[in-house]
mmCIF file of all heavy atoms in Angstrom:
data_model
loop_
_atom_site.group_PDB
_atom_site.id
_atom_site.type_symbol
_atom_site.label_atom_id
_atom_site.label_comp_id
_atom_site.label_asym_id
_atom_site.label_seq_id
_atom_site.Cartn_x
_atom_site.Cartn_y
_atom_site.Cartn_z
ATOM 1 N N LEU A 1162 -4.227 -21.995 2.653
ATOM 2 C CA LEU A 1162 -3.092 -22.568 1.924
ATOM 3 C C LEU A 1162 -1.858 -22.746 2.803
ATOM 4 O O LEU A 1162 -0.798 -23.144 2.315
ATOM 5 C CB LEU A 1162 -2.747 -21.669 0.732
ATOM 6 C CG LEU A 1162 -3.753 -21.681 -0.415
ATOM 7 C CD1 LEU A 1162 -3.465 -20.552 -1.394
ATOM 8 C CD2 LEU A 1162 -3.747 -23.019 -1.129
ATOM 9 N N ASP A 1163 -1.980 -22.456 4.089
ATOM 10 C CA ASP A 1163 -0.857 -22.527 5.029
ATOM 11 C C ASP A 1163 0.285 -21.602 4.638
ATOM 12 O O ASP A 1163 1.454 -21.879 4.896
ATOM 13 C CB ASP A 1163 -0.333 -23.966 5.167
ATOM 14 C CG ASP A 1163 0.562 -24.132 6.396
ATOM 15 O OD1 ASP A 1163 0.177 -23.634 7.474
ATOM 16 O OD2 ASP A 1163 1.653 -24.730 6.269
ATOM 17 N N LEU A 1164 -0.061 -20.488 4.005
ATOM 18 C CA LEU A 1164 0.946 -19.466 3.730
ATOM 19 C C LEU A 1164 1.218 -18.652 4.984
ATOM 20 O O LEU A 1164 2.282 -18.050 5.132
ATOM 21 C CB LEU A 1164 0.474 -18.562 2.589
ATOM 22 C CG LEU A 1164 0.268 -19.272 1.251
ATOM 23 C CD1 LEU A 1164 -0.334 -18.318 0.226
ATOM 24 C CD2 LEU A 1164 1.581 -19.850 0.734
ATOM 25 N N ILE A 1165 0.227 -18.594 5.861
ATOM 26 C CA ILE A 1165 0.400 -18.074 7.215
ATOM 27 C C ILE A 1165 -0.306 -19.038 8.162
ATOM 28 O O ILE A 1165 -1.212 -19.776 7.757
ATOM 29 C CB ILE A 1165 -0.165 -16.639 7.390
ATOM 30 C CG1 ILE A 1165 -1.647 -16.593 7.006
ATOM 31 C CG2 ILE A 1165 0.643 -15.640 6.595
ATOM 32 C CD1 ILE A 1165 -2.293 -15.248 7.281
ATOM 33 N N ARG A 1166 0.089 -19.045 9.404
ATOM 34 C CA ARG A 1166 -0.484 -19.948 10.388
ATOM 35 C C ARG A 1166 -1.479 -19.198 11.282
ATOM 36 O O ARG A 1166 -1.155 -18.129 11.819
ATOM 37 C CB ARG A 1166 0.604 -20.561 11.265
ATOM 38 C CG ARG A 1166 1.479 -21.593 10.538
ATOM 39 C CD ARG A 1166 0.743 -22.906 10.421
ATOM 40 N NE ARG A 1166 1.419 -23.869 9.585
ATOM 41 C CZ ARG A 1166 2.241 -24.831 10.053
ATOM 42 N NH1 ARG A 1166 2.520 -24.897 11.358
ATOM 43 N NH2 ARG A 1166 2.771 -25.693 9.221
ATOM 44 N N PRO A 1167 -2.679 -19.735 11.459
ATOM 45 C CA PRO A 1167 -3.637 -19.111 12.367
ATOM 46 C C PRO A 1167 -3.194 -19.290 13.815
ATOM 47 O O PRO A 1167 -2.388 -20.167 14.126
ATOM 48 C CB PRO A 1167 -4.937 -19.880 12.082
ATOM 49 C CG PRO A 1167 -4.491 -21.211 11.564
ATOM 50 C CD PRO A 1167 -3.221 -20.945 10.803
ATOM 51 N N ASN A 1168 -3.737 -18.456 14.691
ATOM 52 C CA ASN A 1168 -3.453 -18.561 16.121
ATOM 53 C C ASN A 1168 -4.390 -19.538 16.822
ATOM 54 O O ASN A 1168 -4.114 -19.956 17.954
ATOM 55 C CB ASN A 1168 -3.564 -17.190 16.791
ATOM 56 C CG ASN A 1168 -2.628 -16.168 16.183
ATOM 57 O OD1 ASN A 1168 -3.059 -15.205 15.571
ATOM 58 N ND2 ASN A 1168 -1.324 -16.395 16.325
ATOM 59 N N GLY A 1169 -5.480 -19.891 16.151
ATOM 60 C CA GLY A 1169 -6.439 -20.811 16.756
ATOM 61 C C GLY A 1169 -7.473 -21.250 15.747
ATOM 62 O O GLY A 1169 -7.585 -20.684 14.653
ATOM 63 N N GLY A 1170 -8.235 -22.270 16.098
ATOM 64 C CA GLY A 1170 -9.264 -22.785 15.214
ATOM 65 C C GLY A 1170 -8.744 -23.899 14.320
ATOM 66 O O GLY A 1170 -7.565 -24.279 14.370
ATOM 67 N N THR A 1171 -9.627 -24.449 13.496
ATOM 68 C CA THR A 1171 -9.263 -25.546 12.613
ATOM 69 C C THR A 1171 -9.623 -25.211 11.170
ATOM 70 O O THR A 1171 -10.561 -24.460 10.913
ATOM 71 C CB THR A 1171 -9.994 -26.845 13.006
ATOM 72 O OG1 THR A 1171 -11.412 -26.630 12.950
ATOM 73 C CG2 THR A 1171 -9.608 -27.266 14.421
ATOM 74 N N VAL A 1172 -8.857 -25.791 10.238
ATOM 75 C CA VAL A 1172 -9.083 -25.602 8.809
ATOM 76 C C VAL A 1172 -8.954 -26.945 8.113
ATOM 77 O O VAL A 1172 -8.034 -27.721 8.405
ATOM 78 C CB VAL A 1172 -8.055 -24.616 8.195
ATOM 79 C CG1 VAL A 1172 -8.304 -24.465 6.703
ATOM 80 C CG2 VAL A 1172 -8.118 -23.266 8.861
ATOM 81 N N ARG A 1173 -9.870 -27.189 7.181
ATOM 82 C CA ARG A 1173 -9.754 -28.349 6.300
ATOM 83 C C ARG A 1173 -10.012 -27.883 4.869
ATOM 84 O O ARG A 1173 -10.993 -27.184 4.609
ATOM 85 C CB ARG A 1173 -10.752 -29.446 6.676
ATOM 86 C CG ARG A 1173 -10.513 -30.066 8.046
ATOM 87 C CD ARG A 1173 -9.217 -30.864 8.085
ATOM 88 N NE ARG A 1173 -8.994 -31.498 9.379
ATOM 89 C CZ ARG A 1173 -8.355 -30.912 10.400
ATOM 90 N NH1 ARG A 1173 -7.891 -29.675 10.245
ATOM 91 N NH2 ARG A 1173 -8.183 -31.546 11.536
ATOM 92 N N VAL A 1174 -9.138 -28.283 3.963
ATOM 93 C CA VAL A 1174 -9.259 -27.947 2.546
ATOM 94 C C VAL A 1174 -9.160 -29.237 1.757
ATOM 95 O O VAL A 1174 -8.173 -29.973 1.888
ATOM 96 C CB VAL A 1174 -8.159 -26.954 2.106
ATOM 97 C CG1 VAL A 1174 -8.286 -26.643 0.626
ATOM 98 C CG2 VAL A 1174 -8.233 -25.671 2.929
ATOM 99 N N LEU A 1175 -10.188 -29.547 0.974
ATOM 100 C CA LEU A 1175 -10.240 -30.796 0.215
ATOM 101 C C LEU A 1175 -10.046 -32.000 1.134
ATOM 102 O O LEU A 1175 -9.421 -33.007 0.780
ATOM 103 C CB LEU A 1175 -9.191 -30.795 -0.906
ATOM 104 C CG LEU A 1175 -9.418 -29.731 -1.993
ATOM 105 C CD1 LEU A 1175 -8.138 -29.535 -2.820
ATOM 106 C CD2 LEU A 1175 -10.561 -30.138 -2.901
ATOM 107 N N GLY A 1176 -10.582 -31.872 2.338
ATOM 108 C CA GLY A 1176 -10.503 -32.955 3.317
ATOM 109 C C GLY A 1176 -9.186 -33.061 4.034
ATOM 110 O O GLY A 1176 -8.995 -33.958 4.866
ATOM 111 N N MET A 1177 -8.246 -32.161 3.754
ATOM 112 C CA MET A 1177 -6.910 -32.231 4.338
ATOM 113 C C MET A 1177 -6.650 -31.062 5.277
ATOM 114 O O MET A 1177 -7.257 -29.999 5.143
ATOM 115 C CB MET A 1177 -5.858 -32.230 3.224
ATOM 116 C CG MET A 1177 -5.939 -33.415 2.274
ATOM 117 S SD MET A 1177 -4.724 -33.324 0.932
ATOM 118 C CE MET A 1177 -5.470 -32.062 -0.105
ATOM 119 N N ASP A 1178 -5.732 -31.272 6.189
ATOM 120 C CA ASP A 1178 -5.269 -30.206 7.071
ATOM 121 C C ASP A 1178 -4.095 -29.517 6.377
ATOM 122 O O ASP A 1178 -3.024 -30.124 6.225
ATOM 123 C CB ASP A 1178 -4.820 -30.798 8.412
ATOM 124 C CG ASP A 1178 -4.383 -29.732 9.402
ATOM 125 O OD1 ASP A 1178 -4.148 -28.572 8.984
ATOM 126 O OD2 ASP A 1178 -4.264 -30.045 10.601
ATOM 127 N N PRO A 1179 -4.251 -28.273 5.940
ATOM 128 C CA PRO A 1179 -3.161 -27.619 5.200
ATOM 129 C C PRO A 1179 -1.896 -27.411 6.026
ATOM 130 O O PRO A 1179 -0.814 -27.260 5.448
ATOM 131 C CB PRO A 1179 -3.777 -26.280 4.769
ATOM 132 C CG PRO A 1179 -4.941 -26.066 5.670
ATOM 133 C CD PRO A 1179 -5.445 -27.419 6.039
ATOM 134 N N GLN A 1180 -2.015 -27.428 7.343
ATOM 135 C CA GLN A 1180 -0.816 -27.288 8.160
ATOM 136 C C GLN A 1180 0.006 -28.575 8.174
ATOM 137 O O GLN A 1180 1.223 -28.545 8.313
ATOM 138 C CB GLN A 1180 -1.196 -26.895 9.589
ATOM 139 C CG GLN A 1180 -1.808 -25.510 9.680
ATOM 140 C CD GLN A 1180 -2.084 -25.087 11.107
ATOM 141 O OE1 GLN A 1180 -1.354 -25.457 12.030
ATOM 142 N NE2 GLN A 1180 -3.132 -24.310 11.309
ATOM 143 N N LYS A 1181 -0.665 -29.721 8.007
ATOM 144 C CA LYS A 1181 0.037 -31.002 8.008
ATOM 145 C C LYS A 1181 0.524 -31.412 6.621
ATOM 146 O O LYS A 1181 1.540 -32.091 6.483
ATOM 147 C CB LYS A 1181 -0.883 -32.096 8.575
ATOM 148 C CG LYS A 1181 -1.195 -31.926 10.053
ATOM 149 C CD LYS A 1181 -2.067 -33.064 10.547
ATOM 150 C CE LYS A 1181 -2.350 -32.918 12.047
ATOM 151 N NZ LYS A 1181 -3.228 -34.010 12.552
ATOM 152 N N ASP A 1182 -0.215 -31.013 5.589
ATOM 153 C CA ASP A 1182 0.164 -31.409 4.231
ATOM 154 C C ASP A 1182 -0.094 -30.266 3.248
ATOM 155 O O ASP A 1182 -0.936 -30.376 2.351
ATOM 156 C CB ASP A 1182 -0.616 -32.652 3.820
ATOM 157 C CG ASP A 1182 0.099 -33.437 2.716
ATOM 158 O OD1 ASP A 1182 1.049 -32.876 2.137
ATOM 159 O OD2 ASP A 1182 -0.301 -34.579 2.446
ATOM 160 N N PRO A 1183 0.640 -29.169 3.399
ATOM 161 C CA PRO A 1183 0.396 -28.009 2.529
ATOM 162 C C PRO A 1183 0.692 -28.279 1.059
ATOM 163 O O PRO A 1183 0.031 -27.733 0.178
ATOM 164 C CB PRO A 1183 1.328 -26.939 3.095
ATOM 165 C CG PRO A 1183 2.399 -27.697 3.806
ATOM 166 C CD PRO A 1183 1.730 -28.917 4.355
ATOM 167 N N VAL A 1184 1.672 -29.127 0.762
ATOM 168 C CA VAL A 1184 2.034 -29.397 -0.634
ATOM 169 C C VAL A 1184 0.884 -30.100 -1.345
ATOM 170 O O VAL A 1184 0.534 -29.772 -2.487
ATOM 171 C CB VAL A 1184 3.319 -30.246 -0.710
ATOM 172 C CG1 VAL A 1184 3.601 -30.640 -2.162
ATOM 173 C CG2 VAL A 1184 4.502 -29.472 -0.138
ATOM 174 N N ALA A 1185 0.241 -31.064 -0.673
ATOM 175 C CA ALA A 1185 -0.880 -31.783 -1.278
ATOM 176 C C ALA A 1185 -2.059 -30.852 -1.540
ATOM 177 O O ALA A 1185 -2.730 -30.961 -2.563
ATOM 178 C CB ALA A 1185 -1.309 -32.937 -0.363
ATOM 179 N N VAL A 1186 -2.298 -29.917 -0.610
ATOM 180 C CA VAL A 1186 -3.385 -28.951 -0.801
ATOM 181 C C VAL A 1186 -3.089 -28.049 -1.989
ATOM 182 O O VAL A 1186 -3.949 -27.842 -2.862
ATOM 183 C CB VAL A 1186 -3.586 -28.110 0.482
ATOM 184 C CG1 VAL A 1186 -4.541 -26.948 0.216
ATOM 185 C CG2 VAL A 1186 -4.124 -28.980 1.608
ATOM 186 N N ARG A 1187 -1.882 -27.544 -2.065
ATOM 187 C CA ARG A 1187 -1.531 -26.604 -3.137
ATOM 188 C C ARG A 1187 -1.465 -27.297 -4.495
ATOM 189 O O ARG A 1187 -1.725 -26.668 -5.529
ATOM 190 C CB ARG A 1187 -0.198 -25.928 -2.815
ATOM 191 C CG ARG A 1187 -0.264 -25.049 -1.573
ATOM 192 C CD ARG A 1187 1.096 -24.523 -1.185
ATOM 193 N NE ARG A 1187 1.121 -24.061 0.199
ATOM 194 C CZ ARG A 1187 2.219 -23.721 0.836
ATOM 195 N NH1 ARG A 1187 3.404 -23.773 0.225
ATOM 196 N NH2 ARG A 1187 2.168 -23.328 2.095
ATOM 197 N N ARG A 1188 -1.132 -28.584 -4.496
ATOM 198 C CA ARG A 1188 -1.072 -29.327 -5.757
ATOM 199 C C ARG A 1188 -2.437 -29.386 -6.425
ATOM 200 O O ARG A 1188 -2.532 -29.397 -7.651
ATOM 201 C CB ARG A 1188 -0.551 -30.742 -5.491
ATOM 202 C CG ARG A 1188 -0.370 -31.584 -6.759
ATOM 203 C CD ARG A 1188 0.095 -32.978 -6.439
ATOM 204 N NE ARG A 1188 1.398 -32.974 -5.777
ATOM 205 C CZ ARG A 1188 1.639 -33.492 -4.575
ATOM 206 N NH1 ARG A 1188 0.652 -34.035 -3.881
ATOM 207 N NH2 ARG A 1188 2.840 -33.453 -4.061
ATOM 208 N N ARG A 1189 -3.487 -29.402 -5.634
ATOM 209 C CA ARG A 1189 -4.841 -29.559 -6.162
ATOM 210 C C ARG A 1189 -5.585 -28.227 -6.240
ATOM 211 O O ARG A 1189 -6.779 -28.190 -6.494
ATOM 212 C CB ARG A 1189 -5.620 -30.543 -5.273
ATOM 213 C CG ARG A 1189 -5.013 -31.931 -5.284
ATOM 214 C CD ARG A 1189 -5.540 -32.812 -4.169
ATOM 215 N NE ARG A 1189 -6.963 -33.050 -4.262
ATOM 216 C CZ ARG A 1189 -7.659 -33.734 -3.338
ATOM 217 N NH1 ARG A 1189 -7.043 -34.236 -2.273
ATOM 218 N NH2 ARG A 1189 -8.958 -33.907 -3.483
ATOM 219 N N THR A 1190 -4.848 -27.129 -6.042
ATOM 220 C CA THR A 1190 -5.458 -25.800 -5.956
ATOM 221 C C THR A 1190 -4.850 -24.852 -6.978
ATOM 222 O O THR A 1190 -3.654 -24.916 -7.265
ATOM 223 C CB THR A 1190 -5.243 -25.221 -4.537
ATOM 224 O OG1 THR A 1190 -5.825 -26.100 -3.575
ATOM 225 C CG2 THR A 1190 -5.885 -23.852 -4.399
ATOM 226 N N GLY A 1191 -5.683 -23.973 -7.506
ATOM 227 C CA GLY A 1191 -5.201 -22.853 -8.308
ATOM 228 C C GLY A 1191 -5.362 -21.586 -7.489
ATOM 229 O O GLY A 1191 -6.470 -21.277 -7.029
ATOM 230 N N TYR A 1192 -4.274 -20.857 -7.294
ATOM 231 C CA TYR A 1192 -4.277 -19.706 -6.379
ATOM 232 C C TYR A 1192 -3.887 -18.434 -7.118
ATOM 233 O O TYR A 1192 -2.849 -18.371 -7.782
ATOM 234 C CB TYR A 1192 -3.307 -19.977 -5.231
ATOM 235 C CG TYR A 1192 -3.049 -18.804 -4.305
ATOM 236 C CD1 TYR A 1192 -4.104 -18.049 -3.795
ATOM 237 C CD2 TYR A 1192 -1.749 -18.477 -3.919
ATOM 238 C CE1 TYR A 1192 -3.859 -16.983 -2.929
ATOM 239 C CE2 TYR A 1192 -1.496 -17.429 -3.054
ATOM 240 C CZ TYR A 1192 -2.554 -16.676 -2.571
ATOM 241 O OH TYR A 1192 -2.312 -15.625 -1.715
ATOM 242 N N LEU A 1193 -4.727 -17.443 -6.992
ATOM 243 C CA LEU A 1193 -4.413 -16.096 -7.487
ATOM 244 C C LEU A 1193 -4.253 -15.190 -6.277
ATOM 245 O O LEU A 1193 -5.240 -14.848 -5.623
ATOM 246 C CB LEU A 1193 -5.518 -15.566 -8.395
ATOM 247 C CG LEU A 1193 -5.371 -14.109 -8.845
ATOM 248 C CD1 LEU A 1193 -4.112 -13.924 -9.688
ATOM 249 C CD2 LEU A 1193 -6.600 -13.644 -9.602
ATOM 250 N N PRO A 1194 -3.023 -14.801 -5.942
ATOM 251 C CA PRO A 1194 -2.822 -13.923 -4.793
ATOM 252 C C PRO A 1194 -3.191 -12.486 -5.099
ATOM 253 O O PRO A 1194 -3.315 -12.095 -6.271
ATOM 254 C CB PRO A 1194 -1.325 -14.059 -4.500
ATOM 255 C CG PRO A 1194 -0.722 -14.364 -5.838
ATOM 256 C CD PRO A 1194 -1.746 -15.188 -6.578
ATOM 257 N N GLY A 1195 -3.326 -11.706 -4.060
ATOM 258 C CA GLY A 1195 -3.625 -10.294 -4.248
ATOM 259 C C GLY A 1195 -2.448 -9.517 -4.801
ATOM 260 O O GLY A 1195 -2.622 -8.498 -5.467
#
């Protein structure tokens, strides 16, 4: 969800890069934090 940034590697959520468009990822996601 780009709430923290990784030090390396790649992530795709719903076909999107959460670091480039975190708002679009979160708009389509339901999140229950710990």
Side-chain angles (χ1 to χ4, degrees):
L1162 289 168
D1163 195 45
L1164 298 174
I1165 57 174
R1166 289 282 172 96
N1168 302 114
T1171 59
V1172 179
R1173 295 293 182 271
V1174 179
L1175 296 164
M1177 298 177 285
D1178 183 345
Q1180 294 184 33
K1181 293 182 178 179
D1182 203 348
V1184 174
V1186 170
R1187 295 173 198 171
R1188 183 182 298 121
R1189 297 166 62 184
T1190 301
Y1192 172 48
L1193 173 63

